[in-house]
Amino acid sequence: MATETQSQTAQSTDRSFADRIDAWLAEDMSPKRALAVYAVIGVYMTFLLLPVAYMVLATFTSADFLYSPRLVPALGDLTLQNYVSILSTGLFQQYFINSTIVATSTTLLTLVVGTLAAYSLSRFEYPGRNTLLFSFLGTQMLPRVLILIPFFLVMFSLSLIDSLLGIVIAHSVLGIPLGTWLLKGYFDDIPKSLDEAAKMDGCSHLDILWRIIIPMSLPGITVAGFYTFILSWNDFLFVSILSQTAATRTLPFGLQLFQSQNTVAWELLLTAATITMIPVVVLFAVFQRWVVEGLATGGMKGT
């Protein structure tokens, strides 16, 4: 009884605190309050971005600076030699090309299959529909290490070990269920009356999907594609099992080139990590408007 009373008291305290925050935010923003809010946001963003900024700064310095006690480099410590060394490494170039091929192919395959599957789940009723939908979500709850051995055996039987196609299929198996779930939630927000009006004009289901659903769902499709690209670009686990030679390895393997059993070339490792990060940052910068709109208007909802 005492525990229940304490719990109710805590909930009441939380609600009153939340109400006070809501009331505080709802009031007119005075200059002092606006300055306080921006100061808090600035401290928070500094906490998040400072390690990344220092990593990028370290890529323009020599190894002597990294092993020195100084926090700020002198002008004499600045150099582009790290980037020259990384970009002239043949294996790193091969890994970068492989990552680009695998991530791009996985994204395209996931969007094509996921869009068709999401349209089917959103617009048609058939036995097992809900079970199929929730099974997609259930696949995301399994630890990936549990499916490694079965996946390796299937790929071995199909002679897809040590091939880029095998890695693309493996990453698509991970991306399609969540992509379908995300797109289905977004398609549900499009009124079905538009489908009926298009049918009266003689459109087939594929015409409706191509001419109405996809143009109105571009933010949601962008969110699904962006998530899939990051999933494939950053994957190390499946590549470490399915790839046997340098011809099929990707960038997460490339970061291992600059460390040995006893030493780590930190200046080269940080530079390689920065180059690995650049495509994702550029992709987000290009599609930022659609990604934010998709997240804000239902792309992450799912039903």
Side-chain angles (χ1 to χ4, degrees):
M1 187 66 179
T3 305
E4 183 178 352
T5 303
Q6 292 175 355
S7 176
Q8 292 175 349
T9 304
Q11 292 178 0
S12 176
T13 303
D14 292 341
R15 283 198 297 272
S16 62
F17 179 75
D19 292 341
R20 288 199 300 271
I21 292 295
D22 291 339
W24 187 80
L25 292 176
E27 295 177 1
D28 292 337
M29 190 73 75
S30 65
K32 290 183 178 179
R33 182 166 297 176
L35 183 61
V37 171
Y38 283 115
V40 172
I41 294 175
V43 171
Y44 181 68
M45 295 304 297
T46 301
F47 175 77
L48 292 180
L49 296 179
L50 185 59
V52 179
Y54 198 79
M55 181 185 76
V56 175
L57 175 64
T59 64
F60 294 100
T61 62
S62 61
D64 295 336
F65 167 74
L66 292 179
Y67 291 105
S68 70
R70 292 176 292 134
L71 292 178
V72 180
L75 288 178
D77 295 320
L78 300 180
T79 177
L80 293 175
Q81 184 57 41
N82 296 330
Y83 285 93
V84 174
S85 300
I86 293 294
L87 296 177
S88 61
T89 303
L91 278 179
F92 190 82
Q93 297 173 5
Q94 180 65 48
Y95 294 168
F96 192 94
I97 294 172
N98 290 343
S99 282
T100 304
I101 294 173
V102 169
T104 304
S105 301
T106 300
T107 302
L108 293 176
L109 181 59
T110 296
L111 289 182
V112 171
V113 177
T115 299
L116 293 174
Y119 181 68
S120 169
L121 292 167
S122 175
R123 290 300 194 265
F124 301 102
E125 296 287 344
Y126 43 84
R129 171 179 169 276
N130 291 331
T131 303
L132 179 64
L133 182 59
F134 281 100
S135 68
F136 286 164
L137 189 62
T139 59
Q140 304 302 311
M141 301 177 184
L142 293 174
R144 294 179 183 176
V145 68
L146 288 180
I147 61 175
L148 272 182
I149 295 178
F151 217 97
F152 178 84
L153 295 176
V154 171
M155 289 297 174
F156 183 80
S157 64
L158 297 175
S159 301
L160 290 177
I161 297 296
D162 199 29
S163 69
L164 294 180
L165 178 60
I167 298 174
V168 169
I169 293 175
H171 289 174
S172 299
V173 169
L174 299 176
I176 287 175
L178 188 57
T180 302
W181 182 273
L182 295 176
L183 291 173
K184 192 264 180 186
Y186 207 87
F187 290 174
D188 285 346
D189 288 339
I190 300 176
K192 293 183 179 179
S193 59
L194 296 178
D195 297 32
E196 296 169 357
K199 288 178 183 176
M200 294 181 65
D201 290 337
C203 289
S204 65
H205 288 297
L206 287 180
D207 289 333
I208 295 172
L209 177 63
W210 181 253
R211 297 174 184 271
I212 298 176
I213 303 296
I214 290 179
M216 297 184 67
S217 305
L218 284 179
I221 293 173
T222 305
V223 170
F226 188 68
Y227 164 79
T228 305
F229 186 88
I230 293 177
L231 181 149
S232 178
W233 188 266
N234 293 336
D235 177 68
F236 177 84
L237 185 62
F238 279 81
V239 176
S240 65
I241 297 300
L242 300 176
S243 176
Q244 306 293 316
T245 64
T248 57
R249 287 173 181 162
T250 56
L251 276 178
F253 259 95
L255 301 181
Q256 293 185 330
L257 293 173
F258 311 104
Q259 56 186 358
S260 62
Q261 184 175 3
N262 299 317
T263 61
V264 177
W266 287 108
E267 71 282 6
L268 299 180
L269 181 61
L270 293 175
T271 306
T274 301
I275 294 175
T276 302
M277 180 179 64
I278 288 175
V280 176
V281 175
V282 171
L283 196 65
F284 181 77
V286 172
F287 294 103
Q288 178 186 8
R289 182 168 66 88
W290 291 282
V291 172
V292 173
E293 184 179 347
L295 292 173
T297 58
M300 293 293 292
K301 182 177 66 176
T303 56

